[in-house]
Amino acid sequence: EIVMTQSPATLSVSPGERATLSCRASQSVSNNLAWYQQKPGQAPRLLIYGASTRATGIPARFSGGGSGTEFTLTISSLQSEDFTFYYCQQYTDWPLTFGGGTNVEIK
Amino acid sequence: EVQLLESGGGLVPPGGSLRLSCAASGFTFSSYAMSWVRQAPGKGLEWVSAIRGSNSNTFYADSVKGRFTISRDNSKNTLYLQMNSLRAEDTAVYYCAKLSWSFGGWVDSWGQGTLVTVSS
């Protein structure tokens, strides 16, 4: 099983600042990496797939990077609606696996 | 527009069974792999199971293997999850999820979830 590790667990950032979230895979997943945003009480929403391709309707302030085992999600200028939970997920092999999540909170 | 509507959740005692359903619309159901993802209260996302669209191959997380069975009825555009020998740790919101390809991929659409509570 490919283990996905996200860091930090909690990231405190001021509105308007940049946030960088990390996701590490226990073995190479090539670019088969997705990012999701989840607000409390809601289903997750796809942000990024293929490590760096934004999903339909996702604002340009969200960007993904990396390949192999190291990945990042960057939010260039945090808006109020961006303070919530983020998960990475690999889909290169079964079982599909998610990272433990990062909570982006207001500093 | 893709729509996924789960049903069948509820309260069940330990050792009991439950069958979840997911009615899909807005896409060619038989052409895509489908999955179940769960989230225990206050916890992160956990992938549970998937079934391919092309040949109905199935995949399971170790935590549910041998107890849960995923299936699909392409004539009814419906995905199922039969859950047997339920445990307290199976308590979670269960999301129906559409994968991006017929053989797997990322989750490009999510249902709103159905809550399963395993308790006496």
Side-chain angles (χ1 to χ4, degrees), chain A residues 41-78:
Chain A
Q42 296 185 15
R45 175 175 72 146
L46 176 67
L47 295 177
I48 301 282
Y49 62 91
S52 61
T53 302
R54 276 190 302 277
T56 302
I58 301 304
R61 65 180 181 274
F62 292 92
S63 62
S67 65
T69 62
E70 300 283 345
F71 301 89
T72 57
L73 174 70
T74 300
I75 312 171
S76 60
S77 178
L78 277 158

Side-chain angles (χ1 to χ4, degrees), chain B residues 24-86:
Chain B
S25 61
F27 64 103
T28 304
F29 182 72
S30 60
S31 295
Y32 292 92
M34 297 293 294
S35 188
W36 291 96
V37 177
R38 69 184 181 184
Q39 187 169 36
K43 303 297 184 182
L45 300 171
E46 180 188 15
W47 175 77
V48 172
S49 183
I51 183 167
R52 285 177 166 164
S54 54
N55 55 16
S56 291
N57 280 2
T58 58
F59 304 89
Y60 298 93
D62 285 346
S63 57
V64 306
K65 200 172 293 183
R67 300 187 298 124
F68 290 11
T69 302
I70 191 172
S71 62
R72 63 192 299 159
D73 185 337
N74 289 339
S75 68
K76 295 182 178 179
N77 289 352
T78 303
L79 176 72
Y80 302 100
L81 185 67
Q82 177 66 44
M83 304 185 294
N84 298 331
S85 302
L86 282 161

Side-chain angles (χ1 to χ4, degrees), chain A residues 32 34 36 38 42-46 49 87 89 91 94-96 98 100, chain B residues 37 39 43-45 47 50 52 59 95 101 103 105-108 110-111:
Chain A
N32 295 320
Y36 305 91
Q38 187 182 31
Q42 296 185 15
R45 175 175 72 146
L46 176 67
Y49 62 91
Y87 297 91
Q89 178 233 329
Y91 52 91
W94 304 99
L96 306 183
F98 289 91
Chain B
V37 177
Q39 187 169 36
K43 303 297 184 182
L45 300 171
W47 175 77
R52 285 177 166 164
F59 304 89
Y95 294 103
W101 302 321
F103 53 90
W106 61 89
V107 178
D108 61 12
W110 299 77

Side-chain angles (χ1 to χ4, degrees), chain B residues 3-19:
Chain B
Q3 292 195 347
L4 303 170
L5 184 60
E6 303 97 335
S7 61
L11 176 63
V12 59
S17 297
L18 210 56
R19 188 198 200 200

Side-chain angles (χ1 to χ4, degrees), chain A residues 8-22:
Chain A
T10 302
L11 183 62
S12 299
V13 187
S14 299
E17 291 189 341
R18 173 188 295 256
T20 301
L21 290 64
S22 295

